[in-house]
């Protein structure tokens, strides 16, 4: 039950990520009106929300791997609830980790050639700070690169060993769930 709920949460988080990416990167290219009037108003919130959902997606995949490993190695410790056991900590981490990104951009109004007031995006002094740039690069390298990949690869290896060691060919559902998780992890690693 928890594994299935985590898959549903992952799909929801990934869908939100796609919406935010579309609003941030695709729609400005497709609609000049959106790019000029709406995009500058949304961007200071859209970019951080995109980062929050990306982090949430990565760590939700890790939560899936942890749940699958617990189910196989310590069944009494698994299936403790998807929201409070996994999703709430993942969302809390994602929001706190990406919290500073909400202060990177602001919207200002300027006059265009027709003397109309139009919104425009401006990077804040916080965003321009060199130390902050090093923080973002370093923390992303660790928390969005090294740590998730190491955890996913380690958990996938441990799950694969458990499946090979303990399950007979009659228990197809656990093997198929492990295969599903392995495919999700592989896609995550390739796409990230």
């Amino acid at each position: 039950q928890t594994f299935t709920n985590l898959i549903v949460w992952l799909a929801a988080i990934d869908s939100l990520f796609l919406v935010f990416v579309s609003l941030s990167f695709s729609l400005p290219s497709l609609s000049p009106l959106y790019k000029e009037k709406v995009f500058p108003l949304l961007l200071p919130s859209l970019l951080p929300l995109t980062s929050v959902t990306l982090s949430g997606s990565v760590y939700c995949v890790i939560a899936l791997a942890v749940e699958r490993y617990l189910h196989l190695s310590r069944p009494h410790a698994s299936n403790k609830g998807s929201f409070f056991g996994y999703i709430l900590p993942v969302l809390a981490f994602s929001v706190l980790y990406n919290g500073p990104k909400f202060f990177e951009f602001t919207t200002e109004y300027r006059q265009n050639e027709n003397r109309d007031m139009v919104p425009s995006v401006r990077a804040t002094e916080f965003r321009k700070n060199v130390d902050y740039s090093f923080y973002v690069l370093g923390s992303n390298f660790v928390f969005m690169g090294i740590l998730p990949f190491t955890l996913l690869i380690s958990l996938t290896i441990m799950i694969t060993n458990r499946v090979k060691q303990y399950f007979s060919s009659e228990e197809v559902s656990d093997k198929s769930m492990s295969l599903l998780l392995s495919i999700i992890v592989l896609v995550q690693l390739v796409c990230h």
Side-chain angles (χ1 to χ4, degrees):
Q1 181 68 26
T2 299
F3 186 82
T4 305
N5 289 342
L6 287 173
I7 292 282
V8 170
W9 275 103
L10 177 62
I13 292 169
D14 283 347
S15 296
L16 273 176
F17 174 74
L18 291 174
V19 168
F20 293 145
V21 165
S22 296
L23 290 172
S24 298
F25 302 106
S26 300
L27 205 48
S29 299
L30 298 173
S31 171
L33 181 64
Y34 173 83
K35 183 177 182 176
E36 184 182 345
K37 302 282 186 186
V38 179
F39 182 63
L41 298 173
L42 296 180
L43 185 71
S45 298
L46 271 179
L47 287 180
L49 288 172
T50 303
S51 296
V52 167
T53 54
L54 177 61
S55 301
S57 176
V58 168
Y59 283 94
C60 193
V61 171
I62 292 170
L64 278 163
V66 168
E67 175 61 25
R68 180 63 13 201
Y69 177 74
L70 289 176
H71 179 75
L72 295 174
S73 65
R74 295 182 181 94
H76 62 281
S78 73
N79 219 10
K80 298 292 184 190
S82 60
F83 185 75
F84 290 109
Y86 295 106
I87 297 302
L88 189 60
V90 163
L91 292 178
F93 168 76
S94 297
V95 169
L96 291 173
Y97 173 70
N98 292 293
K101 293 183 180 182
F102 285 94
F103 303 102
E104 290 183 1
F105 294 99
T106 187
T107 301
E108 297 179 336
Y109 287 88
R110 59 173 175 75
Q111 284 188 342
N112 64 7
E113 58 277 350
N114 299 333
R115 305 191 54 76
D116 295 327
M117 296 301 283
V118 294
S120 67
V121 176
R122 180 183 63 82
T124 62
E125 292 303 316
F126 181 67
R127 164 77 176 189
K128 294 175 186 176
N129 186 308
V130 175
D131 293 332
Y132 176 71
S133 296
F134 283 125
Y135 157 76
V136 168
L137 289 173
S139 63
N140 277 339
F141 178 70
V142 172
F143 292 110
M144 295 300 291
I146 298 294
L147 183 63
F149 286 161
T150 302
L151 287 171
L152 286 174
I153 290 168
S154 301
L155 285 165
T156 302
I157 290 169
M158 291 188 301
I159 290 167
T160 303
N161 290 338
R162 278 283 183 203
V163 168
K164 285 179 184 175
Q165 186 179 16
Y166 287 107
F167 289 107
S168 66
S169 62
E170 290 140 21
E171 296 184 19
V172 175
S173 68
D174 281 324
K175 283 187 174 182
S176 64
M177 286 297 186
S178 294
L179 179 63
L180 174 64
L181 177 62
S182 297
I183 291 170
I184 289 171
V185 168
L186 182 64
V187 168
Q188 185 80 30
L189 292 172
V190 169
C191 292
H192 190 68

